Amino acid sequence: GAVVSQHPSWVICKSGTSVKIECRSLDFQATTMFWYRQFPKQSLMLMATSNEGSKATYEQGVEKDKFLINHASLTLSTLTVTSAHPEDSSFYICSTRSVAGEAYEQYFGPGTRLTVT
Amino acid sequence: GQNIDQPTEMTATEGAIVQINCTYQTSGFNGLFWYQQHAGEAPTFLSYNVLDGLEEKGRFSSFLSRSKGYSYLLLKELQMKDSASYLCAVKDSNYQLIWGAGTKLIIKP
């Protein structure tokens, strides 16, 4: 299967600061990347879908000005949590699907655990 | 609305067999996925069903009935390392993945 990396794997930041999370597809071109958030003991919640070269599509209830997504190339998407607050503490996971894989599985990155103090 | 239902938690014994059910109501259907997720880790792909029937892959099998909106994941010869959450997800008509809340499987010796 495809390889997706995320950086950093965990981060602790102070309230009010911004944090950038990178998601890279290492062995294929990802026209579409998905950003999920998962709170403890809950399932994945899709935050937004990013398409290379265009604006991301955000799910209802997700603030686009707070969670900035940039998908500048076919191998890199970034999620920036701006003015982070303790309630933003969560497990953030990116996922991609290959150019040829409409029906294929999504490949997940290892996740980034964000703790806001 | 779109909905995927699966049990919240199940318990089974090491060496036994367990079946995790998933029912779905979605706008369109383009395949059903099962993922395994260990605590604190990202999900990993287990299986994909798009046609009715049983798909077997080692100790894991997945079944799909599109007419019933139903799937199950069957785990045989359970091992302690199988303790994890199992997520059922369906791709709808827009190829969007709709996720179930996951079933936490607890394996006891």
Side-chain angles (χ1 to χ4, degrees):
Chain A
V3 178
V4 180
S5 71
Q6 266 183 256
H7 177 79
S9 55
W10 59 271
V11 58
I12 301 173
C13 71
K14 292 185 177 180
S15 187
T17 61
S18 296
V19 174
K20 179 185 283 189
I21 302 171
E22 292 186 350
C23 176
R24 293 181 184 274
S25 60
L26 300 182
D27 55 357
F28 70 97
Q29 296 178 327
T31 55
T32 303
M33 287 188 175
F34 304 92
W35 285 96
Y36 291 89
R37 180 167 54 181
Q38 187 176 36
F39 293 106
K41 298 185 180 181
Q42 295 186 21
S43 189
L44 298 169
M45 293 173 52
L46 180 65
M47 298 176 66
T49 302
S50 75
N51 294 294
E52 186 265 338
S54 64
K55 291 183 179 180
T57 303
Y58 290 81
E59 295 300 302
Q60 193 171 10
V62 179
E63 300 174 57
K64 62 180 180 180
D65 295 329
K66 179 173 179 62
F67 298 99
L68 302 178
I69 292 174
N70 184 282
H71 192 161
S73 76
L74 287 171
T75 59
L76 174 65
S77 176
T78 61
L79 167 67
T80 301
V81 183
T82 63
S83 187
H85 289 100
E87 55 265 31
D88 298 325
S89 298
S90 186
F91 191 46
Y92 292 86
I93 310 172
C94 72
S95 170
T96 74
R97 66 180 181 213
S98 67
V99 172
E102 282 295 334
Y104 293 174
E105 76 219 55
Q106 288 180 205
Y107 306 101
F108 288 87
T112 297
R113 186 160 302 283
L114 170 64
T115 302
V116 185
T117 61
Chain B
Q2 308 206 90
N3 193 48
I4 296 187
D5 289 314
Q6 48 181 133
T8 304
E9 187 174 297
M10 299 181 70
T11 302
T13 305
E14 189 178 15
I17 299 173
V18 70
Q19 177 175 310
I20 303 174
N21 296 323
C22 170
T23 58
Y24 62 90
Q25 301 92 37
T26 56
S27 56
F29 178 85
N30 280 298
L32 184 143
F33 298 79
W34 284 96
Y35 282 84
Q36 179 191 60
Q37 186 178 27
H38 286 100
E41 299 180 11
T44 55
F45 171 79
L46 288 179
S47 68
Y48 169 66
N49 294 68
V50 66
L51 299 176
D52 291 349
L54 187 69
E55 294 279 344
E56 296 185 79
K57 192 184 291 185
R59 294 189 298 116
F60 293 3
S61 303
S62 57
F63 171 83
L64 174 67
S65 169
R66 289 171 295 171
S67 62
K68 296 181 179 178
Y70 168 72
S71 172
Y72 67 72
L73 180 68
L74 191 72
L75 293 77
K76 303 176 184 176
E77 300 170 18
L78 286 170
Q79 302 175 9
M80 297 303 293
K81 67 178 182 180
D82 297 329
S83 292
S85 287
Y86 291 85
L87 308 175
C88 173
V90 173
K91 278 206 171 180
D92 66 10
S93 55
N94 296 318
Y95 292 95
Q96 182 94 304
L97 261 185
I98 311 300
W99 292 88
T103 298
K104 182 179 180 180
L105 177 63
I106 299 169
I107 309 297
K108 294 185 175 180

